[in-house]
Amino acid sequence: MAAATSAQPFRLGLTGGIGSGKSTVGMRLAQRGAALIDADAISRSLTAAGGAALPVIAQVFGNDLIAGDGALNRPRMRELVFANTQTRQQLESILHPLIAEQTRQQYAAAVATGCKLVVHDIPLLVESGRWRQDLDGVLVVDCRESTQVERVMARNGLSVDAVRSIMHAQASRAQRLAAADWVLYNDEGVTIEALDAFTDQIAAWFGL
C-alpha cells in the first residue's frame, strides 16, 4: 500500500455488505475530518428528478422506469436488476461513467483543501473489479450474514427472501474479506459506541 504524501491524501476504499454498518463508519470518519465520497449518494443524485442519468435510462429501459415525481422508479428497477444480469450490466454501463466523473471532481476538491484522508464509500467495490487500482487500501466492515438479514429486515421492512436476494447480488463475505487490507468487525455485541471508538482509532492512524 502506498502511503499518503503531503500533496496527496490517502485513498481508502470502504465497503461491506448490506446491513454491515459501512455507512455509519463512513459518516464517523467524515466527522473526524475525512473527505467522504459516497458512490451510493452520487448514484441517487444521478437518478433523482432531473438527474443526469434519467434521459438515458428512459431511452434504454422505457419511460415506465421513470416515476410520477420524475425520479427513477427504484422498486421497478430493483426488480429488473435482480431478475436479469444483463439488465444490471446495462444500468451499470450508464451509471458508472457518470459516477466516476463526479468521484474525480470530489476527489480533486478534497486534494485542493489539503485533506489527509479520502474515504471512497463503495458498496460494490469488490464486485466492480475496477476500483482497486485507484485506492491505497481497503477497509471492510464485516458481520455475519444472519446479522445482515436481521438488520435489513428491521431497518427496511423487507422479507427474508428480499434481503437474501440483495445479498446474492453482492460479493460474498469471503470475497470481501479476501479483498480487505483492514477489517472492522461489527456484529452482535458491538455497540454503536464501540463502533465509533474503533472508527476513531482508524481516523487517528491517518492523523485525523
Side-chain angles (χ1 to χ4, degrees), residues 56-128:
V56 183
I57 289 175
Q59 181 180 6
V60 173
F61 298 105
N63 288 324
D64 63 323
L65 265 297
I66 308 301
D69 61 357
L72 177 67
N73 185 335
R74 296 181 188 282
R76 176 59 179 150
M77 180 57 80
R78 189 179 300 116
E79 290 177 6
L80 294 176
V81 165
F82 288 141
N84 190 307
T85 300
Q86 184 177 359
T87 299
R88 184 178 74 247
Q89 292 172 343
Q90 286 179 300
L91 180 62
E92 290 173 349
S93 71
I94 296 169
L95 291 177
H96 283 177
L98 297 171
I99 293 172
E101 177 56 31
Q102 290 203 22
T103 297
R104 283 191 290 269
Q105 294 175 9
Q106 293 185 27
Y107 178 76
V111 171
T113 65
C115 182
K116 294 181 179 180
L117 174 66
V118 174
V119 177
H120 293 271
D121 184 337
I122 309 169
L124 302 182
L125 187 157
V126 176
E127 294 86 335
S128 71

Side-chain angles (χ1 to χ4, degrees), residues 130-174:
R130 66 186 182 89
W131 282 103
R132 198 62 175 86
Q133 62 187 0
D134 297 324
L135 301 171
D136 298 312
V138 172
L139 171 64
V140 170
V141 183
D142 177 55
C143 66
R144 293 171 299 165
E145 292 183 355
S146 59
T147 301
Q148 290 180 258
V149 173
E150 292 171 4
R151 287 175 177 168
V152 179
M153 287 178 64
R155 182 186 69 192
N156 299 87
L158 298 177
S159 67
V160 172
D161 289 343
V163 178
R164 291 203 175 276
S165 177
I166 294 171
M167 292 169 59
H168 181 71
Q170 297 181 337
S172 69
R173 183 184 184 190

